[in-house]
């Protein structure tokens, strides 16, 4: 491929994607892991509310993410939805739809519970093409939730599950049906610990820390390779 020959260094999403490229035959020395997408933002002070609920922000079109139309099955788990293309006939007592906000507005709006990082066609796991892609990519909504100050819940097999665990900014699950019982066991003290860890990561995301680090590492690698 012409692009593979042209570039000196590739900045890839995360370590799982890095391993994927090495299996394709790309020299590991040409690969830098970003870890997570930054979310540049002028942050304003706001309060995060302890609530045993999940928030889903993004494209709510069921053609792309058909698990959305099955969320009523998670009742009585409280669910907040934000984003375009929501079919309101899927709304039930446990689901609140809050409308559409821009990428600059939404981080100031999200203020309770856990942000959900999920995709695909099932509540039991992230299946289908969009679900399987979570095994390799950095979901934009993960960065959104963390920049907004929310801890997260993410699929256990997602590439970014390791980032969530290492930084103690949320919970990993195999199935969405696990969430209610997990949240039952979480008290406000535990939630506040998550918020403290999220605050640390959030400050990095909104100031471009991970992009700056990856670019610095790429420049250093190019310089070393040309010696």
């Amino acid at each position: 491929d012409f692009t593979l020959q042209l570039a000196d260094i590739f900045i890839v999403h995360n370590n799982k994607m890095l391993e994927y490229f090495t299996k394709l035959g790309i020299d590991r020395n040409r690969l830098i892991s970003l870890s997570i997408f930054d979310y540049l933002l002028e942050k304003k002070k706001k309060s995060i509310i302890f609530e045993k609920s999940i928030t889903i922000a993004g494209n709510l079109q069921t053609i792309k993410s058909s698990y959305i139309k099955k969320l009523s099955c998670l009742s009585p788990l409280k669910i907040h939805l934000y984003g375009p293309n929501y079919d309101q006939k899927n709304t039930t007592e446990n689901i609140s739809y809050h409308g559409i906000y821009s990428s600059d507005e939404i981080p100031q709006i999200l203020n309770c519970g856990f942000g959900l990082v999920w995709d695909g066609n099932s509540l039991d796991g992230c299946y289908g093409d969009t679900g399987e892609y979570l095994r390799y990519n950095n979901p934009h909504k993960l960065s959104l939730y963390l920049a907004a100050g929310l801890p997260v819940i993410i699929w256990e097999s997602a590439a970014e599950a390791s980032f969530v665990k290492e930084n103690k900014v949320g919970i990993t699950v195999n199935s969405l049906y696990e969430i209610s019982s997990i949240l039952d066991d979480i008290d406000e003290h535990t939630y506040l610990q998550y918020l403290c860890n999220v605050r640390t990561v959030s400050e990095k995301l909104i100031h471009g820390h991970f992009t700056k680090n990856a670019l610095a590492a790429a420049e250093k690698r190019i310089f070393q390779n040309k010696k």
Side-chain angles (χ1 to χ4, degrees):
D1 186 279
F2 176 70
T3 307
L4 297 180
Q5 295 173 20
L6 183 66
D8 292 308
I9 298 289
F10 297 93
I11 297 176
V12 298
H13 288 201
N14 52 60
N15 287 333
K16 288 286 178 69
M17 190 175 283
L18 189 149
E19 293 299 331
Y20 177 79
F21 274 96
T22 57
K23 288 176 182 175
L24 291 179
I26 308 300
D27 185 348
R28 183 179 289 267
N29 199 40
R30 296 173 66 198
L31 299 168
I32 302 285
S33 173
L34 179 63
S35 292
I36 187 172
F37 285 133
D38 288 311
Y39 199 105
L40 302 185
L41 185 67
E42 187 178 336
K43 201 164 187 180
K44 299 169 187 172
K45 285 190 176 180
K46 67 170 185 178
S47 297
I48 304 291
I49 301 164
F50 170 54
E51 183 179 272
K52 298 187 178 187
S53 66
I54 60 172
T55 289
I56 302 170
N59 187 347
L60 302 173
Q61 189 174 43
T62 55
I63 294 173
K64 173 187 175 290
S65 306
S66 57
Y67 84 94
I68 295 287
K69 64 186 176 185
K70 303 173 185 176
L71 291 172
S72 61
C73 298
L74 300 178
S75 183
L77 176 64
K78 193 171 183 179
I79 302 169
H80 300 283
L81 301 179
Y82 298 83
N85 302 313
Y86 180 60
D87 186 345
Q88 300 213 34
K89 74 180 183 204
N90 293 318
T91 302
T92 53
E93 282 188 8
N94 66 314
I95 298 172
S96 299
Y97 177 60
H98 300 281
I100 303 169
Y101 295 89
S102 72
S103 58
D104 291 328
E105 293 173 316
I106 190 68
Q108 304 302 334
I109 301 295
L110 305 182
N111 68 347
C112 65
F114 290 78
L116 179 68
V117 183
W118 201 261
D119 216 334
N121 55 25
S122 174
L123 302 178
D124 285 310
C126 291
Y127 307 126
D129 291 342
T130 55
E132 286 291 324
Y133 189 40
L134 279 180
R135 293 183 185 275
Y136 302 101
N137 79 322
N138 290 353
H140 181 259
K141 66 180 61 182
L142 172 62
S143 300
L144 163 62
Y145 298 140
L146 295 176
L150 291 188
V152 299
I153 296 174
I154 189 171
W155 184 37
E156 172 71 37
S157 297
E160 287 292 78
S162 57
F163 181 93
V164 170
K165 287 187 277 193
E166 286 164 14
N167 291 278
K168 299 179 181 177
V169 292
I171 299 159
T172 63
V173 296
N174 288 303
S175 165
L176 296 187
Y177 289 107
E178 298 171 15
I179 294 176
S180 287
S181 60
I182 290 172
L183 295 187
D184 282 344
D185 292 334
I186 288 180
D187 57 18
E188 189 166 8
H189 174 71
T190 303
Y191 188 75
L192 290 174
Q193 287 180 316
Y194 280 127
L195 289 187
C196 184
N197 297 335
V198 169
R199 208 170 295 123
T200 300
V201 173
S202 178
E203 281 300 308
K204 293 179 178 179
L205 294 176
I206 67 175
H207 292 108
H209 168 85
F210 293 95
T211 303
K212 290 173 186 174
N213 271 12
L215 288 172
E219 288 176 355
K220 184 178 179 182
R221 190 80 57 84
I222 289 170
F223 179 75
Q224 289 173 338
N225 290 348
K226 287 184 177 179
K227 275 187 176 182

